[in-house]
Amino acid sequence: MTAINSKLAPHSNRPEPLEKNISGLFACAAVYLALLFAVAANITWITSPDLGFHLRIGQYIWETRSIPRTELFSYTCAGHPMLLHGWLAETLFYLIWKLCGYNGLILLKTAVISSAYFLIHFLLAKKTTRIHETIAVTLAVLCSSWHFSERPAMFTLFFTALYVTLLTGLESGWKRTTVLPIIAVSQIFWSNLHGVFILGPVIVGHFAAGRALSTLARGEKVSVRESAVWILFVLALLVLSALLNPF
């Protein structure tokens, strides 16, 4: 009787067809080729025309332990007020250049920008198929590769991907007590690395608004407590951005 039942029972442990395994293998390979493309696109000659300025400013900051408030290296604008919103990035560039030369700067750029695309890969892997993910990552690299250079702007690319990944993780069950402190600490660094740090609170605010609108669309009531938490958090990010920098 047991033998008969075993024959009639569905073959749950039956191996998947070879064609399906092969297609899955090719899909995985395509994803990793797209990520490899993101890495390779950054291993290039230095093309940024601003790098010399960033290195010289970084050297000045490191050697004098102060941030200049006026133009120091300009013939036509000498003495005019200057706002170095990327002072921390410029100091980092100088230290890496001093220790590792130009190759160190290329590796830094590769690590920062590639990390952004690996975060995008991590985000898309849970939302779509591998083929769609491959197309999205490849198009993203192609569309933004013109801006792959040794400039403070590369940190904005990384932090944007990080914020979107963390906030989307909240929808997957990540704890808010873990995600929000990471964003808060990241905002402190972002506000000293690049001038587009204001994008951080904008991303968080858009996420909170979208979450509230989705709740209303489902016919549910928006939690006043949760809305207050998000509003206070966005305000806190703005305060951190405004106060925790030399300006």
Side-chain angles (χ1 to χ4, degrees):
M1 186 68 179
T2 305
I4 295 175
N5 290 336
S6 64
K7 290 181 180 179
L8 295 177
H11 294 278
S12 57
N13 296 325
R14 180 180 297 173
E16 295 182 349
L18 179 60
E19 294 81 2
K20 187 174 182 180
N21 289 331
I22 292 176
S23 63
L25 181 62
F26 275 110
C28 288
V31 171
Y32 288 110
L33 282 175
L35 294 174
L36 182 61
F37 176 51
V39 175
N42 286 279
I43 305 177
T44 59
W45 295 106
I46 291 178
T47 58
S48 172
D50 302 330
L51 182 59
F53 172 79
H54 293 313
L55 291 176
R56 188 65 183 89
I57 288 293
Q59 180 184 13
Y60 180 91
I61 294 172
W62 180 254
E63 292 179 350
T64 64
R65 300 297 192 272
S66 63
I67 300 173
R69 307 283 177 164
T70 58
E71 290 281 358
L72 299 177
F73 312 111
S74 171
Y75 177 77
T76 56
C77 297
H80 286 221
M82 178 173 61
L83 182 62
L84 289 174
H85 48 69
W87 71 271
L88 184 58
E90 289 160 342
T91 306
L92 179 63
F93 289 167
Y94 170 71
L95 292 176
I96 291 178
W97 173 81
K98 186 176 181 180
L99 293 174
C100 308
Y102 292 107
N103 289 334
L105 292 174
I106 294 173
L107 290 176
L108 173 66
K109 174 191 66 174
T110 303
V112 172
I113 297 179
S114 299
S115 296
Y117 287 100
F118 274 90
L119 286 171
I120 294 172
H121 154 66
F122 178 79
L123 177 64
L124 293 178
K126 298 183 178 181
K127 298 291 184 180
T128 185
T129 64
R130 289 191 177 95
I131 296 301
H132 291 159
E133 177 190 351
T134 302
I135 295 173
V137 172
T138 303
L139 289 177
V141 174
L142 289 173
C143 292
S144 56
S145 59
W146 66 276
H147 207 55
F148 292 172
S149 59
E150 297 74 11
R151 303 176 69 182
M154 66 182 181
F155 293 106
T156 287
L157 180 63
F158 169 77
F159 283 119
T160 299
L162 177 65
Y163 279 36
V164 173
T165 301
L166 290 173
L167 292 171
T168 305
L170 289 175
E171 300 294 331
S172 303
W174 293 5
K175 292 184 178 180
R176 190 166 59 187
T177 53
T178 301
V179 170
L180 298 189
I182 293 176
I183 292 178
V185 173
S186 299
Q187 187 64 36
I188 296 173
F189 284 100
W190 195 354
S191 63
N192 290 280
L193 286 167
H194 191 232
V196 192
F197 60 85
I198 192 63
L199 186 59
V202 171
I203 293 173
V204 176
H206 275 73
F207 175 82
R211 192 166 182 169
L213 290 174
S214 297
T215 302
L216 290 174
R218 294 194 299 268
E220 303 173 4
K221 291 184 178 179
V222 178
S223 170
V224 176
R225 180 179 179 182
E226 182 176 357
S227 300
V229 168
W230 283 109
I231 292 172
L232 291 175
F233 183 67
V234 172
L235 291 175
L237 288 182
L238 292 172
V239 171
L240 286 174
S241 301
L243 298 181
L244 296 181
N245 64 63
F247 310 102

